[in-house]
Every structure is written in C-alpha cells, then in structure tokens.
C-alpha cells in the first residue's frame, strides 16, 4: 500500500455525516433573553442585529416559537431602569425577572421549559458593578447576602436554575445554603465559574445597561492569561455545590473549555457571548460568507472542545439548521 487515502472518508455527504465525530443537538442550546417592563415591546439592540429587548408578553410568544423548533432552555436577564445603591430592586417579587418567571410558569411546566435566571447586581446598582462597592473595593459580605436574596426570590417565582454571574468568591456556597434554608433543594445552580474580564461583552452591556460607571471588572472577573486559575475556580464551584459550570466567553477560550471538560466530570456550558455574536453577524454580512456555515463552524468548535451545552443568541437559527 502506497498510503492510506484518508480523504476517501470525505467523498459524500451521507458518509461525512456517518463518520462525523461531533454532534450538536437542539437539546443542548440555551437562548438568552433581555426582558423589559411593559407590553408589546420589541426594542432592537443596535449592536446585536436581530436581538431585541422584549416585554414578557412577547417573551411568551418568542418562547412558544423556540419550543416548536425544539429549543427548550432559556436564560433570562431582566433589564431594569431602577438603579439603587444596594440593588434592592433585583430581589423584589415584582421585579421583571420574577414576574416573567411566574408568567412563563403559567404557560410551561419544568418538563416543557427549563428556565435559567441570571443572578447578579450589575443591572441594578447605580455604578454598574457586579458587587456592592466600598470606595473602589467590593464589600464581599454584603454582596453575597444580596446575591443570595436574588437567588431565593427567583426560586420563589419558579425558576429551575439560578446562574450567579458576579464572580464573587463563595457565591455558589452562599446561594446553595440560602436555597436549601428556604426549602428550594431542587433549584439548581449553573455557575459562571470561569468568567473572564473580556472585551467581548460590549454589546451585552449596551443591551443590559450595565457598563461600570468607574473602573473595570478586573478585580473580580478572571485574567485571560490564567488557565490554571480557571481550573481552580471550577474546582471551588463544584465543592460549593454548582450543578453546571460555565466558561464565558467561548470562542477565544476553547482551550479553557477543553481543560475544564478533561479535568472535571460535570455538565459544562459555554457562553457564546454578545461580542462573538456581533462579530459573526458583521463578518457574514460584509464577506458574503453564509451565516449558517459560519455559525455552525463556530458552535461546533465549542462542542468539539468539550461543551455539553451552548448558551447562544443563535439558538433559534441553529435549531432550524440542525
Ligand atoms: Zn454582573
């Protein structure tokens, strides 16, 4: 034999599908939503073409369409105009997230729809930081106390998962204890375990109204030079009771996704963030490369690296393609 022609396994579509090593299922997609007060609101987000801030009645319709396409998991962010020193609005029963969860639960059971709710302070504090600031430093104790209150109020409303994204030390343990103390043993935690201080969040901050008014988030979000520290963050979150761990962003961090998956036996989510979305949209429109090809290549890369589930603004499109 001269040589084994490996390319013979690539000759036809059916064959290529037969031998493909990575599979993306609709069940593994999570669609994020930005929810606002009001009715019949669908306000386009300029930096994220195709994505809107929507009111909860529109959310119900949108989720109905998603479910028909086979996507059954959503991540909710409440966009609040009420900004307060101690983020009090975030844990009020009449906050937009809590109200939306209750509305969704009237339409869909947990068997039909998995609701995941973001738990952080940055959308509710005056200065846009993810914790309560004392001068230029985070007041950890006070921040953890508020994060726990937010998580419990989401649980009361009927969420399936709370997803703490503040990158505060000990947040998973404090939330787990608070949930258990309030008899929400079945509410699960999807932790933003490895959230880097990234330049890919720009459009999200625009959509969510959460850009920090001073300083940056480098004192609590992770330094992108540190894969070893990422593993320590995941290990810590698992010890504290995380049920799913997350790496955010995804595309520039495929090595982190790979390392986490190789190191820990726990469901792993990758967050295909707003900047990645905007970048792909713009590249597709300017280059003429079909969006479908570009998005599938990128999301399959996240799966190949080891992500079990993908949080992506492309969930609806993907569901139509796969
Ligand atoms: Zn935050």
């Amino acid at each position: 034999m001269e040589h084994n022609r490996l390319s013979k396994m690539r000759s036809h579509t059916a064959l290529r599908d037969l031998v493909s090593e990575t599979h993306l299922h609709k069940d593994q997609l999570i669609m994020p939503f930005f929810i606002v007060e009001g009715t019949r609101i669908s306000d386009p987000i300029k930096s994220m073409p195709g994505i809107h801030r929507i009111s909860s009645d529109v959310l119900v319709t949108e989720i109905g369409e998603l479910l028909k396409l086979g996507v059954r998991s959503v991540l909710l962010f409440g966009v609040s105009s009420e900004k307060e020193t101690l983020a009090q609005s975030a844990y009020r029963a009449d906050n937009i997230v809590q109200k939306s969860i209750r509305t969704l639960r009237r339409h869909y059971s947990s068997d039909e729809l998995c609701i995941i709710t973001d738990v952080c302070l940055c959308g509710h504090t005056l200065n846009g930081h993810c914790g309560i600031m004392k001068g230029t430093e985070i007041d950890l104790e006070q921040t953890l106390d508020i994060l726990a209150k937010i998580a419990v109020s989401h649980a009361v409303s009927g969420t399936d998962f709370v997803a703490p994204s503040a990158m505060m030390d000990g947040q998973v343990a404090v939330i787990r204890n608070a949930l258990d103390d309030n008899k929400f043993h079945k509410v699960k935690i999807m932790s933003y375990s490895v959230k880097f201080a990234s330049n890919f969040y720009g459009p999200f901050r625009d959509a969510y109204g959460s850009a920090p008014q001073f300083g940056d988030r480098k004192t609590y979000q992770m330094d992108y030079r540190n894969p070893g520290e990422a593993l320590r963050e995941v290990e810590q979150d698992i010890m504290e009771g995380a049920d799913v761990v997350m790496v955010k962003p995804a595309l520039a961090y495929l090595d982190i996704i790979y390392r986490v998956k190789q190191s820990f036996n726990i469901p792993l989510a990758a967050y295909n963030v707003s900047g990645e979305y905007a970048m792909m949209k713009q590249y597709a429109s300017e280059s003429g490369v079909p969006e479908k090809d570009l998005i599938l290549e990128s999301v399959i890369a996240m799966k190949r690296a080891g992500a079990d589930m993908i949080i992506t603004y492309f969930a609806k499109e993907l569901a139509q393609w796969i």
Side-chain angles (χ1 to χ4, degrees):
M1 188 177 69
E2 235 179 278
H3 56 266
N4 185 4
R5 296 188 186 206
L6 289 173
S7 65
K8 66 183 174 299
M9 296 294 274
R10 303 167 202 152
S11 60
H12 298 91
T13 307
L15 173 65
R16 286 193 295 271
D17 289 346
L18 177 69
V19 299
S20 73
E21 298 171 41
T22 309
H23 299 276
L24 181 64
H25 297 284
K26 295 175 187 187
D27 300 334
Q28 300 162 329
L29 299 173
I30 302 167
M31 177 73 188
F33 285 103
F34 300 103
I35 328 163
V36 291
E37 290 284 356
T39 48
R40 279 182 290 174
I41 294 174
S42 186
D43 171 25
I45 299 162
K46 226 177 103 201
S47 50
M48 300 178 73
I51 303 296
H52 298 72
R53 289 184 205 87
I54 56 177
S55 47
S56 54
D57 54 326
V58 179
L59 179 71
V60 171
T61 315
E62 290 267 328
I63 287 180
E65 282 172 31
L66 263 186
L67 289 171
K68 271 187 216 146
L69 292 168
V71 177
R72 294 183 293 169
S73 300
V74 296
L75 171 60
L76 306 182
F77 295 92
V79 184
S80 175
S81 51
E82 279 183 81
K83 311 282 182 187
E84 290 163 289
T85 324
L86 298 178
Q88 292 92 329
S89 65
Y91 52 87
R92 284 192 192 122
D94 65 348
N95 177 47
I96 185 64
V97 173
Q98 286 80 341
K99 281 195 291 188
S100 300
I101 302 167
R102 293 197 295 272
T103 305
L104 288 172
R105 276 291 166 252
R106 282 197 289 276
H107 290 80
Y108 308 111
S109 70
S110 290
D111 280 323
E112 294 163 304
L113 177 70
C114 181
I115 302 178
I116 306 159
T117 49
D118 185 82
V119 172
C120 197
L121 271 55
C122 51
H124 309 272
T125 50
L126 291 166
N127 56 35
H129 274 286
C130 300
I132 301 303
M133 301 297 279
K134 243 189 206 159
T136 54
E137 291 196 9
I138 295 280
D139 181 334
L140 185 61
E141 209 177 323
Q142 196 167 27
T143 301
L144 291 176
D145 181 50
I146 298 169
L147 287 169
K149 282 182 180 156
I150 302 172
V152 170
S153 75
H154 289 184
V156 170
S157 300
T159 197
D160 294 298
F161 273 91
V162 289
S165 62
M167 283 303 282
M168 295 296 146
D169 295 321
Q171 63 181 6
V172 173
V174 165
I175 288 173
R176 185 70 267 159
N177 288 336
L179 290 172
D180 290 346
D181 287 347
N182 288 278
K183 307 251 183 309
F184 291 111
H185 305 288
K186 289 184 179 168
V187 173
K188 297 151 281 287
I189 300 178
M190 175 185 285
S191 179
Y192 288 66
S193 305
V194 186
K195 183 177 179 182
F196 289 95
S198 169
N199 296 292
F200 288 97
Y201 304 148
F204 176 92
R205 288 174 189 171
D206 176 26
Y208 191 50
S210 62
Q213 300 299 305
F214 62 85
D216 53 38
R217 294 187 169 122
K218 289 182 181 165
T219 58
Y220 43 97
Q221 293 182 352
M222 272 203 54
D223 186 322
Y224 56 70
R225 294 171 293 188
N226 297 351
E229 190 185 356
L231 295 181
R232 292 199 292 279
E233 285 282 0
V234 171
E235 188 177 20
Q236 185 77 40
D237 278 5
I238 294 172
M239 282 188 328
E240 290 182 26
D243 301 289
V244 177
V245 297
M246 189 200 298
V247 173
K248 178 184 181 181
L251 269 185
Y253 297 89
L254 296 176
D255 60 318
I256 306 290
I257 295 172
Y258 181 78
R259 287 177 204 226
V260 170
K261 194 60 201 174
Q262 295 299 308
S263 306
F264 302 99
N265 178 23
I266 189 165
L268 170 60
Y271 199 142
N272 178 206
V273 299
S274 61
E276 298 168 6
Y277 176 88
M279 199 166 66
M280 281 192 253
K281 278 277 181 190
Q282 194 179 348
Y283 174 58
S285 82
E286 286 177 7
S287 67
V289 172
E291 254 184 37
K292 178 182 171 180
D293 298 347
L294 186 62
I295 295 162
L296 277 172
E297 182 181 344
S298 314
V299 174
I300 291 285
M302 297 165 203
K303 283 286 308 180
R304 197 182 60 230
D308 297 299
M309 54 194 97
I310 319 273
I311 303 164
T312 175
Y313 302 96
F314 293 118
K316 197 172 169 182
E317 284 96 327
L318 282 164
Q320 288 163 296
W321 299 330
I322 57 180

Short mmCIF file of all heavy atoms in Angstrom, two decimals, residues 118-123 128-131 147 165-168 195 204 208 210 217 220-221, ligand 1:
data_model
loop_
_atom_site.label_atom_id
_atom_site.label_comp_id
_atom_site.label_asym_id
_atom_site.label_seq_id
_atom_site.Cartn_x
_atom_site.Cartn_y
_atom_site.Cartn_z
N ASP A 118 -30.29 34.66 35.38
CA ASP A 118 -29.02 35.28 35.75
C ASP A 118 -29.15 35.96 37.12
O ASP A 118 -30.13 36.65 37.38
CB ASP A 118 -28.64 36.32 34.70
CG ASP A 118 -27.27 36.92 34.96
OD1 ASP A 118 -26.27 36.28 34.58
OD2 ASP A 118 -27.20 38.01 35.55
N VAL A 119 -28.15 35.74 37.96
CA VAL A 119 -28.15 36.36 39.28
C VAL A 119 -26.91 37.24 39.43
O VAL A 119 -25.79 36.72 39.51
CB VAL A 119 -28.18 35.28 40.40
CG1 VAL A 119 -27.98 35.91 41.77
CG2 VAL A 119 -29.49 34.50 40.35
N CYS A 120 -27.12 38.54 39.37
CA CYS A 120 -26.00 39.47 39.54
C CYS A 120 -26.56 40.81 40.00
O CYS A 120 -27.77 41.01 40.05
CB CYS A 120 -25.21 39.63 38.26
SG CYS A 120 -23.57 40.35 38.56
N LEU A 121 -25.65 41.73 40.31
CA LEU A 121 -26.07 43.04 40.79
C LEU A 121 -25.91 44.13 39.74
O LEU A 121 -26.51 45.20 39.84
CB LEU A 121 -25.23 43.43 42.03
CG LEU A 121 -25.76 43.01 43.40
CD1 LEU A 121 -26.01 41.51 43.47
CD2 LEU A 121 -24.75 43.41 44.48
N CYS A 122 -25.10 43.87 38.70
CA CYS A 122 -24.66 44.96 37.82
C CYS A 122 -25.81 45.67 37.08
O CYS A 122 -25.69 46.85 36.75
CB CYS A 122 -23.60 44.47 36.84
SG CYS A 122 -24.04 43.00 35.92
N GLY A 123 -26.91 44.97 36.83
CA GLY A 123 -28.04 45.62 36.16
C GLY A 123 -28.87 46.48 37.10
O GLY A 123 -29.80 47.16 36.67
N GLY A 128 -23.13 50.19 38.28
CA GLY A 128 -22.99 49.12 37.28
C GLY A 128 -21.98 48.04 37.63
O GLY A 128 -21.63 47.22 36.77
N HIS A 129 -21.52 47.99 38.91
CA HIS A 129 -20.61 46.92 39.28
C HIS A 129 -21.40 45.68 39.73
O HIS A 129 -22.57 45.78 40.11
CB HIS A 129 -19.65 47.37 40.38
CG HIS A 129 -18.44 48.06 39.82
ND1 HIS A 129 -17.43 47.37 39.19
CD2 HIS A 129 -18.11 49.38 39.74
CE1 HIS A 129 -16.51 48.23 38.76
NE2 HIS A 129 -16.90 49.47 39.08
N CYS A 130 -20.73 44.52 39.67
CA CYS A 130 -21.40 43.26 39.98
C CYS A 130 -21.50 43.02 41.49
O CYS A 130 -22.09 42.02 41.92
CB CYS A 130 -20.66 42.11 39.32
SG CYS A 130 -20.60 42.27 37.53
N GLY A 131 -20.89 43.90 42.27
CA GLY A 131 -20.98 43.79 43.73
C GLY A 131 -21.18 45.17 44.32
O GLY A 131 -21.12 46.17 43.60
N LEU A 147 -26.81 38.65 46.69
CA LEU A 147 -26.90 37.59 45.66
C LEU A 147 -27.80 36.45 46.14
O LEU A 147 -28.61 35.93 45.37
CB LEU A 147 -25.50 37.05 45.34
CG LEU A 147 -24.59 37.99 44.53
CD1 LEU A 147 -23.15 37.47 44.51
CD2 LEU A 147 -25.11 38.17 43.09
N SER A 165 -23.53 35.18 38.24
CA SER A 165 -22.54 35.61 37.26
C SER A 165 -21.61 36.69 37.79
O SER A 165 -20.87 37.30 37.04
CB SER A 165 -23.24 36.13 36.00
OG SER A 165 -24.05 37.25 36.32
N ALA A 166 -21.66 36.94 39.11
CA ALA A 166 -20.92 38.09 39.65
C ALA A 166 -19.42 37.84 39.84
O ALA A 166 -18.66 38.78 40.02
CB ALA A 166 -21.55 38.51 40.98
N MET A 167 -19.01 36.56 39.81
CA MET A 167 -17.62 36.19 40.08
C MET A 167 -17.17 36.64 41.47
O MET A 167 -16.04 37.10 41.65
CB MET A 167 -16.67 36.74 39.00
CG MET A 167 -16.69 35.96 37.70
SD MET A 167 -16.31 34.18 37.86
CE MET A 167 -14.51 34.19 38.01
N MET A 168 -18.08 36.48 42.43
CA MET A 168 -17.74 36.80 43.82
C MET A 168 -17.33 35.51 44.54
O MET A 168 -18.03 34.50 44.44
CB MET A 168 -18.96 37.41 44.54
CG MET A 168 -19.38 38.75 43.98
SD MET A 168 -18.10 40.01 44.19
CE MET A 168 -18.33 40.99 42.70
N LYS A 195 -15.47 33.24 34.35
CA LYS A 195 -15.91 34.38 33.56
C LYS A 195 -14.75 35.35 33.47
O LYS A 195 -14.30 35.90 34.48
CB LYS A 195 -17.11 35.03 34.26
CG LYS A 195 -17.70 36.19 33.48
CD LYS A 195 -18.93 36.71 34.21
CE LYS A 195 -19.54 37.89 33.51
NZ LYS A 195 -20.70 38.42 34.26
N PHE A 204 -23.46 43.34 25.02
CA PHE A 204 -24.32 42.92 26.14
C PHE A 204 -24.54 44.10 27.09
O PHE A 204 -25.66 44.36 27.52
CB PHE A 204 -23.67 41.76 26.90
CG PHE A 204 -24.44 41.33 28.12
CD1 PHE A 204 -25.39 40.32 28.03
CD2 PHE A 204 -24.24 41.95 29.34
CE1 PHE A 204 -26.11 39.94 29.15
CE2 PHE A 204 -24.96 41.57 30.46
CZ PHE A 204 -25.90 40.56 30.36
N TYR A 208 -28.01 45.54 28.20
CA TYR A 208 -28.43 45.31 29.58
C TYR A 208 -28.30 46.57 30.42
O TYR A 208 -28.80 46.64 31.54
CB TYR A 208 -27.55 44.18 30.13
CG TYR A 208 -27.95 43.60 31.45
CD1 TYR A 208 -29.26 43.18 31.69
CD2 TYR A 208 -27.02 43.44 32.47
CE1 TYR A 208 -29.61 42.62 32.91
CE2 TYR A 208 -27.35 42.87 33.69
CZ TYR A 208 -28.65 42.47 33.90
OH TYR A 208 -28.99 41.91 35.11
N SER A 210 -25.46 47.90 31.71
CA SER A 210 -24.68 47.54 32.90
C SER A 210 -23.21 47.90 32.79
O SER A 210 -22.39 47.30 33.48
CB SER A 210 -24.82 46.04 33.15
OG SER A 210 -24.31 45.32 32.05
N ARG A 217 -13.84 45.56 35.70
CA ARG A 217 -14.22 44.39 36.50
C ARG A 217 -13.04 43.44 36.71
O ARG A 217 -13.23 42.29 37.07
CB ARG A 217 -15.38 43.67 35.81
CG ARG A 217 -16.65 44.54 35.79
CD ARG A 217 -17.84 43.76 35.26
NE ARG A 217 -19.07 44.51 35.50
CZ ARG A 217 -19.91 44.89 34.54
NH1 ARG A 217 -19.67 44.60 33.28
NH2 ARG A 217 -21.00 45.57 34.83
N TYR A 220 -12.52 41.33 39.96
CA TYR A 220 -13.29 40.11 40.29
C TYR A 220 -13.45 39.14 39.13
O TYR A 220 -13.51 37.94 39.33
CB TYR A 220 -14.64 40.45 40.94
CG TYR A 220 -15.45 41.58 40.34
CD1 TYR A 220 -16.47 41.31 39.43
CD2 TYR A 220 -15.21 42.90 40.68
CE1 TYR A 220 -17.23 42.34 38.90
CE2 TYR A 220 -15.96 43.94 40.13
CZ TYR A 220 -16.97 43.65 39.24
OH TYR A 220 -17.71 44.67 38.71
N GLN A 221 -13.51 39.65 37.89
CA GLN A 221 -13.54 38.71 36.77
C GLN A 221 -12.11 38.22 36.50
O GLN A 221 -11.14 38.83 36.92
CB GLN A 221 -14.12 39.38 35.53
CG GLN A 221 -15.60 39.71 35.73
CD GLN A 221 -16.25 40.33 34.51
OE1 GLN A 221 -15.59 40.67 33.54
NE2 GLN A 221 -17.55 40.50 34.58
ZN1 LIG B 1 -22.66 41.38 36.77
#
